[in-house]
Amino acid sequence: MSEPSDSPERKSDGSPVTQGSHIPDPALSERLQRLNAALDKARPRDQSQPAGSRRDTSTSSAMALAFRLGAEFVSGVLVGALVGWGLDKVLGIAPWGIIVLTLVGFGAGVLNMMRAAGETGSRKGPKA
């Protein structure tokens, strides 16, 4: 009597037979081709970057929005202050031009920030 051997099956070249490397089944090959075709249709078209190297777009867009809002505010204050300083020099009303127009620039900066934030807001209701 021969005992079953614990050694794995071997191919004709001596390498071990692994699961799935048996004689190919034509029905299995056809099913595999159909599955690959269905997966190709379901995958997104832009696969230029591997999934691990893609940047998180929500973080990038949030930072871009933060920089834009900051720039809107600072530019409003600076323009107001510069115009006030110019009026102070031309009209000789120092320091009232710079004080008043810096406050107006502050208000304009806040208003511009609110407009810029509203463009990207999630509310998509009807406009009145």
Side-chain angles (χ1 to χ4, degrees):
M1 268 178 109
S2 68
E3 292 184 26
S5 69
D6 289 338
S7 65
E9 295 181 53
R10 300 274 177 189
K11 294 182 186 176
S12 61
D13 63 354
S15 62
V17 174
T18 59
Q19 186 176 5
S21 66
H22 296 289
I23 300 172
D25 182 19
L28 180 62
S29 296
E30 180 185 343
R31 286 182 17 215
L32 183 61
Q33 287 175 352
R34 284 186 297 173
L35 178 62
N36 282 333
L39 285 174
D40 287 340
K41 289 179 186 177
R43 284 188 184 122
R45 296 290 180 224
D46 184 23
Q47 294 272 332
S48 59
Q49 296 178 334
S53 70
R54 291 187 195 141
R55 296 187 70 195
D56 186 11
T57 57
S58 64
T59 303
S60 299
S61 63
M63 284 190 63
L65 179 62
F67 281 121
R68 179 179 176 198
L69 294 178
E72 295 280 349
F73 178 72
V74 169
S75 64
V77 173
L78 285 178
V79 167
L82 287 174
V83 171
W85 179 78
L87 284 177
D88 282 345
K89 291 292 182 184
V90 171
L91 301 176
I93 58 171
W96 296 108
I98 196 166
I99 291 172
V100 170
L101 288 177
T102 299
L103 292 174
V104 169
F106 179 84
V110 170
L111 184 63
N112 285 338
M113 271 185 14
M114 291 176 65
R115 285 182 186 159
E119 290 176 7
T120 59
S122 61
R123 289 181 283 151
K124 302 286 185 189
K127 294 182 181 178

